[in-house]
């Protein structure tokens, strides 16, 4: 089910004085050459005094360039790589950067080597997050994904990168944070678990939300089953966020809100 764009336009205009429009159409380059399409949309943009106008032809335009940052947990990284391999994510993965040293014969390293994707191991410390080196490695990317990257990016990094960064985390925050959040939640007897994908801002884990998913657990679930179900939610939630982003389905407005067109 899609979002009713007329309701969106009306509600946002009443609340914020904004009008947002999202349109999908079938593109036939023989009937409507891309150069002419760009010219037509540019004229429409000027006519309506649009602050921003984006036109993207999936399967024709170059894929967005993506770099992935990850720590020791592999589940989101491996899922992202396999979704990309299966053609579900229209991105060009430029590199994977990690503060965790994966051995040469691990699944991740074998996959990356097979597809010619560079892997950069940058060990971090409390006093050196290696951010200057990371910025250099991702300078040519269109956006970044933090696939359970367990380091906080500084405001300096965000200001220097100046492009979108998508993060994923379990939905057990803020009650269960720090080490072993799955065990903490399991021992507390929670009944709902979840995952949240969002844009990164200077406020930790408080950027505009893109996607959220939940699942019900019970006393019948072991700790291992509990953690596995949580990780499955994180993988799915991150995959959807990346897909929405590449398909230009996310519109940000106000300070901390998004609309995601289904």
């Amino acid at each position: 089910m899609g979002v009713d764009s007329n309701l969106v336009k009306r509600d946002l205009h009443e609340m914020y004085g904004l009008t947002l429009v999202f349109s999908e159409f079938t593109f036939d380059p023989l009937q409507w050459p891309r150069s002419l399409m760009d010219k037509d949309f540019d004229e429409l943009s000027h006519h309506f005094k649009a602050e921003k106008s984006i036109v993207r032809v999936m399967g024709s335009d170059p894929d967005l360039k993506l770099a992935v940052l990850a720590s020791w947990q592999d589940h989101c990284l491996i899922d992202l790589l396999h979704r990309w391999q299966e053609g579900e994510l229209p991105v060009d993965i430029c590199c994977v950067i990690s503060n965790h040293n994966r051995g040469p014969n691990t699944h991740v390293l074998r996959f990356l080597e097979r597809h010619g994707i560079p892997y950069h191991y940058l060990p971090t410390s409390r006093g050196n997050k290696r951010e200057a080196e990371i910025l250099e490695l991702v300078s040519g990317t269109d956006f970044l994904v933090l696939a359970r990257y367990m380091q906080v990016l500084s405001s300096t990094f965000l200001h220097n990168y100046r492009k979108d960064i998508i993060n994923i985390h379990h939905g057990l925050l803020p009650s269960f944070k720090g080490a072993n959040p799955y065990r903490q939640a399991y021992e507390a007897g929670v009944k709902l678990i979840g995952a949240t994908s969002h844009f990164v801002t200077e406020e930790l884990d408080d950027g505009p939300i893109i996607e959220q998913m939940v699942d019900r657990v019970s006393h019948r679930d072991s700790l291992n089953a509990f953690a596995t179900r949580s990780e499955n939610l994180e993988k799915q939630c991150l995959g959807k966020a990346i897909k929405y982003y590449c398909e230009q389905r996310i519109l940000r407005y106000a300070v901390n809100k998004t609309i995601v067109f289904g």
Side-chain angles (χ1 to χ4, degrees):
M1 179 181 293
V3 177
D4 188 329
S5 60
N6 290 324
L7 291 177
V8 170
K9 288 187 286 185
R10 185 185 66 201
D11 291 345
L12 289 178
H13 186 75
E14 290 177 355
M15 291 187 294
Y16 301 103
L18 298 174
T19 300
L20 305 178
V21 179
F22 176 86
S23 300
E24 288 186 275
F25 55 88
T26 300
F27 174 63
D28 183 348
L30 296 179
Q31 298 284 336
W32 197 13
R34 181 59 196 268
S35 58
L36 179 59
M37 183 183 71
D38 288 338
K39 181 176 180 295
D40 290 342
F41 273 97
D42 188 56
E43 290 177 357
L44 282 172
S45 177
H46 281 87
H47 177 77
F48 290 104
K49 298 181 174 60
E51 292 185 12
K52 188 175 185 179
S53 177
I54 300 173
V55 180
R56 182 162 175 77
V57 180
M58 302 301 297
S60 176
D61 290 353
D63 290 336
L64 297 179
K65 295 183 182 298
L66 160 69
V68 185
L69 280 71
S71 290
W72 64 272
Q73 288 181 294
D74 278 340
H75 60 285
C76 285
L77 174 60
I78 290 175
D79 185 76
L80 187 162
L81 293 174
H82 281 282
R83 287 177 189 269
W84 168 79
Q85 183 182 45
E86 295 300 312
E88 295 181 28
L89 302 178
V91 294
D92 177 8
I93 302 178
C94 299
C95 65
V96 173
I97 302 168
S98 180
N99 62 334
H100 179 71
N101 187 20
R102 289 171 172 82
N105 199 35
T106 58
H107 176 66
V108 170
L109 264 293
R110 291 198 304 269
F111 183 100
L112 296 178
E113 290 170 358
R114 187 164 64 248
H115 292 281
I117 301 173
Y119 181 83
H120 303 282
Y121 166 49
L122 298 178
T124 58
S125 64
R126 185 181 296 273
N128 185 5
K129 301 294 185 178
R130 312 293 289 273
E131 289 190 344
E133 294 162 85
I134 296 174
L135 280 170
E136 184 175 351
L137 291 171
V138 304
S139 61
T141 58
D142 295 302
F143 71 113
L144 303 181
V145 165
L146 308 184
R148 294 310 305 269
Y149 186 61
M150 307 306 289
Q151 300 291 321
V152 178
L153 298 174
S154 70
S155 59
T156 300
F157 182 96
L158 300 181
H159 285 301
N160 287 330
Y161 183 63
R162 295 193 298 178
K163 298 173 187 175
D164 289 323
I165 304 174
I166 295 175
N167 188 28
I168 180 71
H169 61 72
H170 55 74
L172 306 175
L173 296 173
S175 298
F176 309 102
K177 54 188 176 182
N180 298 316
Y182 303 138
R183 178 179 289 278
Q184 293 179 50
Y186 173 78
E187 292 178 347
V190 302
K191 299 298 184 279
L192 285 175
I193 57 175
T196 295
S197 58
H198 62 90
F199 289 110
V200 174
T201 63
E202 293 184 32
E203 297 297 324
L204 182 62
D205 291 331
D206 197 34
I209 293 170
I210 302 171
E211 179 64 277
Q212 291 181 300
M213 301 180 71
V214 296
D215 193 10
R216 182 169 290 278
V217 293
S218 75
H219 62 279
R220 297 183 179 88
D221 290 295
S222 65
L223 174 58
N224 184 62
F226 186 100
T228 299
R229 292 173 70 172
S230 293
E231 291 176 354
N232 285 336
L233 289 175
E234 292 163 23
K235 295 187 293 188
Q236 295 175 60
C237 193
L238 180 60
K240 285 189 174 185
I242 298 171
K243 185 174 174 62
Y244 293 154
Y245 186 83
C246 293
E247 293 178 350
Q248 305 289 354
R249 294 182 179 275
I250 306 169
L251 294 175
R252 297 171 65 169
Y253 69 99
V255 175
N256 211 37
K257 294 186 178 181
T258 65
I259 291 173
V260 179
F261 292 94

